[in-house]
């Protein structure tokens, strides 16, 4: 299984600190139409990694919603009706959900809820699990993640492209096709 490594994502983020990542992300442009290609479900503790993953997805011309960037007033530490309502609105305006699983993700109060809501609203076919560190591809204790497709980096001609793989891991499609429903799954090889 290929995965986005923490060091690769830090490099994509420009090697900046967590506080600088928050500042950098708060200045990124919102999708003009208020809709996004990707709702990035993640642990806020992974802010630098999230910046790197966001930049990797934006590099292939996808719009990415990250809650503490677009809606900095939301209180993710407290489960409240206001926060839940806003996240529901945002998830309804996103075409897909990328669930960035990491060592920090298991402590998130929101990630399983976001996954369940998005799956219920858009269906399982628009969800991809993205392991972002070595060893986070394991689904032990979260076996439900195994029913979803995976987002993995595919290396081609020295460049890296985000591909969505079926749970079997043998067939994949470019992220754009996954989001917009164009194209079909093809046999691919992942890895560094």
């Amino acid at each position: 299984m290929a995965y986005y490594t923490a060091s690769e994502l830090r490099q994509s983020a420009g090697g900046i600190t967590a506080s600088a990542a928050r500042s950098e992300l708060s200045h990124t442009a919102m999708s003009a139409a208020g809709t996004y290609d990707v709702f990035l479900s993640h642990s806020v503790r992974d802010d630098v990694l999230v910046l790197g993953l966001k930049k990797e997805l934006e590099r292939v011309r996808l719009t990415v919603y990250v809650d503490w960037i677009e809606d900095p007033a939301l209180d993710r530490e407290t489960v409240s009706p206001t926060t839940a309502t806003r996240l529901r609105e945002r998830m309804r305006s996103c075409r897909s959900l990328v669930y960035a699983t990491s060592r920090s993700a298991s402590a998130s109060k929101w990630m399983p809820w976001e996954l369940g809501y998005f799956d219920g609203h858009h269906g399982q076919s628009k969800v991809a699990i993205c392991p972002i560190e070595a060893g986070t591809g394991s689904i032990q204790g979260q076996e439900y993640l195994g029913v979803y497709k995976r987002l993995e980096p595919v290396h081609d001609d020295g460049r890296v492209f985000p591909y969505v793989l079926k749970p079997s891991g043998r067939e994949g499609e470019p992220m754009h096709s996954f989001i917009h429903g164009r194209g079909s799954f093809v046999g691919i090889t992942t890895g560094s």
Side-chain angles (χ1 to χ4, degrees):
M1 171 192 307
Y3 54 86
Y4 285 95
T5 67
S7 61
E8 288 170 334
L9 292 177
R10 282 187 189 97
Q11 183 178 6
S12 292
I16 60 178
T17 65
S19 60
R22 288 184 184 279
S23 177
E24 165 84 14
L25 289 173
S26 69
H27 293 97
T28 59
M30 183 177 96
S31 171
T35 60
Y36 297 84
D37 294 316
V38 177
F39 183 98
L40 186 50
S41 181
H42 64 282
S43 169
V44 72
R45 294 177 185 163
D46 293 326
D47 49 6
V48 172
L49 303 179
V50 168
L51 174 60
L53 184 55
K54 182 178 191 305
K55 286 187 173 193
E56 284 294 308
L57 295 171
E58 289 174 340
R59 186 178 53 76
V60 293
R61 302 182 196 271
L62 296 171
T63 55
V64 181
Y65 173 80
V66 175
D67 58 353
W68 46 270
I69 299 167
E70 303 298 342
D71 293 313
L74 287 180
D75 182 3
R76 286 186 53 98
E77 296 301 316
T78 305
V79 176
S80 74
T82 302
T83 301
T85 297
R86 185 62 175 158
L87 289 174
R88 278 189 209 103
E89 290 169 359
R90 291 299 197 171
M91 284 187 275
R92 286 191 299 264
S93 71
C94 292
R95 294 178 182 94
S96 68
L97 179 134
V98 170
Y99 189 92
T101 186
S102 68
R103 287 180 182 87
S104 301
S106 62
S108 174
K109 299 174 189 176
W110 289 102
M111 289 178 68
W113 179 82
E114 291 166 350
L115 177 64
Y117 181 83
F118 199 92
D119 182 330
H121 189 266
H122 292 285
Q124 141 182 2
S125 67
K126 292 299 180 184
V127 173
I129 306 303
C130 180
I132 58 172
E133 295 179 271
T136 60
S138 169
I139 57 173
Q140 186 174 358
Q142 297 178 311
E143 286 77 10
Y144 59 90
L145 296 179
V147 304
Y148 296 103
K149 297 171 186 166
R150 272 190 335 270
L151 176 66
E152 294 187 8
V154 172
H155 300 264
D156 184 25
D157 250 355
R159 297 181 304 178
V160 179
F161 298 95
Y163 259 70
V164 176
L165 282 68
K166 288 185 175 181
S168 69
R170 294 190 184 112
E171 297 177 309
E173 67 182 332
M175 188 70 179
H176 275 281
S177 297
F178 167 71
I179 292 169
H180 300 290
R182 300 186 305 256
S184 60
F185 281 92
V186 295
I188 64 166
T189 303
T190 61
S192 299

